[in-house]
C-alpha cells in the first residue's frame, strides 16, 4: 500500500498522526476511568469555599460532616445526595478525593518561603492555602515529614464539633495577695534546669525509648510536686504515652482545667538527636513549673497537668486523650496549651483563640487581663484557626482551649540546633528566659483564679479504721450525705465540720441521710473517736 505525502505546510506525517490518535485515546481512557471512579464512589472528600456570611458552623448545622476548618473554607465528607445539595445551595465545591474513609490525610503547615515541592515525596497535594497544604499520605510518610521544618495536623473522618453552647464558668474568688505570692514563686533558675534536663535525653522523638524515659521523668516531677495522682495515658504501642498529673478539686472535682504542652520533639535526625529546647521543652516546662508553684495549694476545681506525646506526628496523643474524654463525658472547662514559648526577639506573646468556638475569646481576654495585672508580660489576644498544636484537638471535639505562642520562630526549628543560647541570640532555640518566666507567671495567675486556688486550712484529715464506728459516703456527693453504722452503733453521734474546722451540725448514725448541704468541702468526725472523713459536696 502506498502512502501519499501530506500537503505542504501541514507538518503531519503518518507516524505523527498515529501518535496523535493514540494520545487522544489515552486521554479519553483516563477521563472515562475518572468518570467511573466518581460515579461509582459512595463518598468524597470535598473542599467547600465559604462565601462572606457563611461559616463552617452553617455547614455543620445542615448535617454535613465537617472534618477540618481552614482559612475561608472547610473540608467535608459527602455522599451523592449531599454533594448535589451543596452545589444547589451555592457552595463552591471541589472534589478532592474518593472514598476518604479508607485513606490517610494530614494538613501540613509551612513557613513563609518554604518550597512546598519538598512535600511531594511524602504524598499527594490535594489542596492548599496560605498557611499550608492538605496531603494524602501514609503513616510511614508522616515520619518522613518529621525531618522537615513543618507542623502537622492529622485529619480523620471524625467530624469537628462546632457548637456555641459551651458555658464559660465564672472565675473563683481568690485573694490577690495569694496570687501575687504564687506568681513570685516562679523561678527562672528552676525553669532553666528543667530545659537542660529535658535536653539531656538526647532525643524525645515519640517512637524512641528516650522519649519514654523523658515521659517517666515528667511523671516523677508531677508526683514530687504534690499531685493527688499521676498516670500514663497510652494511645499507641509504638509511641511514648501521654503523662498526666491531677490535683483534685475540693468543691467541684468534675469540672476540669487543663494545662498542657507536648514533651516530644523532632529534628533532621530525630531518632538520634533532637534536643527540642524551644519546641517543646519550653511548653513542657510551663506545665511543670506551674505544677511546682502550686505545690501545697488546693483547688476548688480539678486541674490536670498534661505532657502530650505524638504531637509532631499530627497531634496523635492529644487527639486520643480528648476523644476519650469526650466519650466519657468529661467536663473540660478550658485547656491552656503552650508550644514554642522560649524564643523571642520581640517581647510579646499572642494568646490564640478560634472562631470555631467563639467563647474562647473570653478566655483569651481573661488571660491577657491577668498578665496585665500580675506580670510585666506584654500580650494580646489573636484570632487564628490554628491547627498547629495540641489545643486544636480540644477545639475539634468541642472543648474550649487557648494557645500561648510568641510572634517569632527560631530558625533552628525542627533541627539539632534547637538548644539554649544567650539572650536574644538568633541561631538557637531558647533565647529569652525573662519572657518565658513572665508567661508562666501569667499562666499561674490565670489558673489560680479560674480553678479557685487556696491555702489548705482547718483540721488535718486522718483515718483510723480501728476507731471508726460509722461509715459516711460517698466521698463526693450531690447534696446528700449518707451516714451508716452497725446495729450496736445506732444513735452514735458525729459532727459535721466545715473546711475551717468549725462545727456545722451534729449527725446521728442511722442509717440517716443529711441533705440540703451547700457545695463545698466538709469533714465528718466522731465525737468519741478522732477519725476524720472528708466529704466533697458538689452542685
Amino acid at each position: 500500500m502506498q502512502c501519499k505525502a501530506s500537503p505542504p505546510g501541514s507538518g503531519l506525517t503518518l507516524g505523527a498522526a498515529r501518535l496523535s490518535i493514540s494520545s487522544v485515546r489515552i486521554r479519553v481512557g483516563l477521563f472515562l476511568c475518572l468518570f467511573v471512579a466518581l460515579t461509582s464512589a459512595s463518598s468524597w472528600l470535598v473542599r467547600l469555599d465559604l462565601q462572606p456570611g457563611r461559616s463552617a458552623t452553617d455547614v455543620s448545622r445542615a448535617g454535613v460532616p465537617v472534618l477540618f476548618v481552614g482559612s475561608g473554607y472547610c473540608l467535608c465528607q459527602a455522599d451523592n445526595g449531599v454533594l448535589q445539595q451543596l452545589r444547589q445551595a451555592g457552595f463552591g465545591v471541589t472534589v478532592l478525593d474518593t472514598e476518604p474513609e479508607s485513606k490517610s490525610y494530614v494538613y501540613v503547615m509551612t513557613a513563609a518561603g518554604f518550597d512546598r515541592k519538598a512535600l511531594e515525596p511524602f504524598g499527594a497535594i490535594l489542596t492548599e492555602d496560605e498557611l499550608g497544604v492538605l496531603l494524602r499520605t501514609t503513616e510511614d510518610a508522616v515520619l518522613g515529614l518529621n525531618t522537615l521544618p513543618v507542623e502537622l495536623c492529622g485529619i480523620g473522618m471524625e467530624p469537628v464539633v462546632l457548637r456555641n453552647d459551651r458555658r464559660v464558668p465564672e472565675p473563683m474568688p481568690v485573694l490577690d495577695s495569694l496570687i501575687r505570692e504564687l506568681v513570685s514563686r516562679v523561678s527562672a533558675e528552676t525553669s532553666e534546669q528543667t530545659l537542660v534536663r529535658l535536653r539531656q535525653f538526647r532525643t524525645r522523638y515519640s517512637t524512641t525509648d528516650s522519649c519514654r524515659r523523658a515521659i517517666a521523668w515528667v511523671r516523677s516531677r508531677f508526683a514530687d510536686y504534690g499531685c493527688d495522682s499521676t498516670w500514663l495515658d497510652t494511645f499507641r504501642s509504638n509511641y511514648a504515652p501521654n503523662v498526666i498529673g491531677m490535683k483534685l478539686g475540693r468543691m467541684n472535682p468534675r469540672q476540669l482545667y487543663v494545662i498542657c504542652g507536648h514533651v516530644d520533639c523532632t529534628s533532621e535526625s530525630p531518632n538520634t538527636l533532637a534536643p527540642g529546647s524551644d519546641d517543646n521543652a519550653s511548653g513542657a516546662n510551663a506545665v511543670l513549673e506551674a505544677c511546682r508553684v502550686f505545690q501545697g495549694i488546693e483547688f476548688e476545681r480539678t486541674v490536670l497537668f498534661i505532657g502530650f506525646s505524638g504531637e509532631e506526628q499530627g497531634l496523635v496523643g492529644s487527639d486520643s486523650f480528648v476523644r476519650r474524654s469526650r466519650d466519657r463525658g468529661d467536663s473540660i472547662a478550658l485547656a491552656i496549651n503552650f508550644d514554642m514559648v522560649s524564643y523571642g526577639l520581640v517581647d510579646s506573646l499572642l494568646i490564640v483563640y478560634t472562631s470555631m468556638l467563639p467563647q474562647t475569646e473570653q478566655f483569651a481576654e481573661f488571660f491577657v487581663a491577668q498578665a496585665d495585672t500580675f506580670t510585666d508580660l506584654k500580650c494580646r489576644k489573636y484570632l487564628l484557626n490554628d491547627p498547629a498544636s495540641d489545643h486544636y484537638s480540644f477545639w475539634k471535639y468541642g472543648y474550649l482551649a487557648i494557645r500561648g505562642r510568641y510572634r517569632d520562630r527560631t530558625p533552628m526549628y525542627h533541627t539539632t540546633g534547637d538548644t539554649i543560647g544567650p539572650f536574644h541570640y538568633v541561631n538557637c532555640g531558647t533565647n529569652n528566659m525573662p519572657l518565658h518566666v513572665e508567661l508562666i507567671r501569667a499562666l499561674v495567675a490565670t489558673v489560680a483564679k479560674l480553678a479557685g486556688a487556696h491555702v489548705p486550712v482547718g483540721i488535718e484529715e486522718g483515718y483510723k479504721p480501728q476507731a471508726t464506728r460509722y461509715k459516711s459516703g460517698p466521698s463526693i456527693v450531690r447534696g446528700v450525705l449518707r451516714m451508716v453504722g452497725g446495729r450496736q452503733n445506732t444513735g452514735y453521734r458525729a459532727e459535721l465540720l466545715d473546711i475551717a474546722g468549725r462545727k456545722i451540725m451534729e449527725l446521728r448514725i442511722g442509717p440517716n441521710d443529711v441533705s440540703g448541704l451547700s457545695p463545698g468541702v466538709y469533714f465528718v468526725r466522731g465525737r468519741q473517736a478522732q477519725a476524720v472523713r472528708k466529704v466533697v459536696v458538689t452542685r
Side-chain angles (χ1 to χ4, degrees):
M1 184 176 72
Q2 248 182 335
C3 219
K4 293 184 180 180
S6 300
S10 69
L12 180 63
T13 65
L14 179 61
R18 287 175 176 167
L19 180 60
S20 177
I21 293 171
S22 177
S23 298
V24 170
R25 286 175 177 169
I26 291 172
R27 290 172 183 171
V28 170
L30 290 173
F31 174 78
L32 290 174
C33 288
L34 178 61
F35 178 78
V36 170
L38 289 175
T39 54
S40 63
S42 60
S43 65
W44 293 269
L45 178 67
V46 300
R47 169 174 170 158
L48 297 186
D49 292 317
L50 301 171
Q51 303 300 323
R54 284 183 169 176
S55 68
T57 302
D58 298 328
V59 177
S60 179
R61 285 174 180 166
V64 180
V66 176
L67 307 179
F68 179 79
V69 180
S71 179
Y73 71 95
C74 60
L75 301 178
C76 301
Q77 185 181 11
D79 58 21
N80 289 316
V82 170
L83 193 60
Q84 185 66 21
Q85 291 172 8
L86 290 171
R87 285 173 172 157
Q88 290 176 350
F91 285 100
V93 181
T94 304
V95 176
L96 302 178
D97 207 359
T98 61
E99 309 294 350
E101 59 276 357
S102 63
K103 299 169 185 175
S104 179
Y105 304 95
V106 64
Y107 183 74
V108 184
M109 285 144 284
T110 59
F114 179 83
D115 185 1
R116 293 181 176 179
K117 291 183 179 179
L119 302 175
E120 293 176 354
F122 304 100
I125 296 176
L126 302 182
T127 190
E128 56 186 302
D129 57 39
E130 65 273 16
L131 293 179
V133 305
L134 175 67
L135 206 64
R136 184 178 63 221
T137 185
T138 65
E139 184 172 349
D140 289 341
V142 166
L143 301 182
L145 287 168
N146 285 155
T147 62
L148 302 178
V150 296
E151 296 173 290
L152 308 179
C153 175
I155 298 177
M157 294 301 106
E158 183 86 21
V160 174
V161 178
L162 298 168
R163 55 190 298 179
N164 296 319
D165 61 344
R166 284 285 182 191
R167 186 178 66 85
V168 178
E170 292 293 328
M172 302 292 293
V174 180
L175 293 174
D176 281 1
S177 58
L178 174 59
I179 295 178
R180 295 189 187 282
E181 177 188 341
L182 293 173
V183 164
S184 69
R185 294 183 186 180
V186 178
S187 166
E189 181 180 2
T190 304
S191 294
E192 187 163 354
Q193 289 172 355
T194 299
L195 295 182
V196 170
R197 180 66 187 92
L198 288 170
R199 187 191 66 189
Q200 288 173 344
F201 285 100
R202 296 287 295 173
T203 179
R204 301 191 308 280
Y205 193 57
S206 296
T207 59
T208 63
D209 288 337
S210 183
C211 186
R212 291 182 177 88
R213 288 192 291 271
I215 289 289
W217 179 82
V218 172
R219 183 184 184 183
S220 71
R221 297 292 88 191
F222 285 158
D224 291 345
Y225 295 154
C227 285
D228 294 317
S229 62
T230 67
W231 67 93
L232 301 179
D233 177 56
T234 301
F235 52 93
R236 289 188 185 177
S237 60
N238 59 329
Y239 280 65
N242 302 320
V243 57
I244 304 171
M246 180 183 70
K247 299 205 78 166
L248 185 67
R250 304 307 180 186
M251 183 180 79
N252 191 352
R254 294 181 178 87
Q255 195 168 73
L256 310 177
Y257 285 87
V258 174
I259 307 172
C260 59
H262 70 93
V263 178
D264 64 307
C265 61
T266 189
S267 72
E268 70 274 29
S269 183
N271 288 297
T272 56
L273 181 60
S277 182
D278 187 50
D279 185 21
N280 186 40
S282 63
N285 175 66
V287 178
L288 282 165
E289 183 65 3
C291 187
R292 187 190 69 81
V293 165
F294 287 129
Q295 188 173 6
I297 296 295
E298 290 184 348
F299 292 102
E300 300 295 342
R301 298 158 174 167
T302 295
V303 178
L304 298 182
F305 303 90
I306 305 181
F308 286 119
S309 174
E311 192 272 352
E312 300 291 3
Q313 289 74 43
L315 320 183
V316 182
S318 59
D319 183 89
S320 173
F321 171 82
V322 184
R323 184 181 66 254
R324 286 188 279 187
S325 295
R326 186 275 314 270
D327 293 344
R328 289 192 300 265
D330 290 348
S331 178
I332 300 177
L334 177 69
I336 306 177
N337 177 49
F338 290 100
D339 197 346
M340 295 185 288
V341 285
S342 64
Y343 180 95
L345 301 176
V346 178
D347 287 341
S348 64
L349 177 76
L350 301 177
I351 303 300
V352 177
Y353 67 99
T354 178
S355 62
M356 294 167 59
L357 295 161
Q359 305 94 316
T360 55
E361 183 176 9
Q362 298 179 47
F363 280 120
E365 291 174 345
F366 186 80
F367 188 100
V368 171
Q370 306 319 303
D372 289 344
T373 303
F374 297 103
T375 78
D376 295 327
L377 180 68
K378 300 174 184 176
C379 65
R380 63 183 178 88
K381 65 181 183 179
Y382 187 65
L383 175 61
L384 181 66
N385 293 333
D386 170 22
S389 190
D390 292 310
H391 59 281
Y392 181 79
S393 294
F394 292 89
W395 293 351
K396 176 180 177 181
Y397 293 103
Y399 290 114
L400 306 183
I402 55 177
R403 175 194 177 183
R405 57 174 286 182
Y406 291 149
R407 295 174 57 184
D408 300 327
R409 173 181 283 187
T410 167
M412 297 294 105
Y413 172 67
H414 280 192
T415 73
T416 54
D418 186 1
T419 58
I420 302 174
F423 181 68
H424 277 184
Y425 181 67
V426 175
N427 293 318
C428 65
T430 296
N431 75 346
N432 200 328
M433 285 301 295
L435 189 61
H436 180 62
V437 169
E438 289 302 306
L439 172 146
I440 300 172
R441 288 173 175 159
L443 167 65
V444 166
T446 299
V447 174
K449 278 199 171 183
L450 290 176
H454 64 267
V455 178
V457 295
I459 63 174
E460 181 178 352
E461 181 182 13
Y463 180 57
K464 301 177 182 178
Q466 68 278 10
T468 303
R469 302 172 65 183
Y470 66 91
K471 293 182 180 179
S472 62
S475 59
I476 299 176
V477 302
R478 285 182 176 271
V480 178
L481 174 65
R482 173 154 293 184
M483 305 295 298
V484 180
R487 179 177 300 178
Q488 69 276 16
N489 294 325
T490 300
Y492 180 79
R493 300 287 180 176
E495 297 174 334
L496 182 68
L497 312 175
D498 65 13
I499 195 170
R502 295 184 292 264
K503 179 179 174 180
I504 302 297
M505 65 175 70
E506 283 198 353
L507 303 174
R508 180 177 58 83
I509 308 304
N512 185 40
D513 289 347
V514 180
S515 60
L517 297 175
S518 300
V521 178
Y522 298 88
F523 298 93
V524 178
R525 182 177 64 190
R527 292 185 63 182
Q528 284 78 28
Q530 293 302 307
V532 178
R533 295 177 182 271
K534 180 161 46 183
V535 178
V536 178
V537 178
T538 64
R539 296 184 186 279

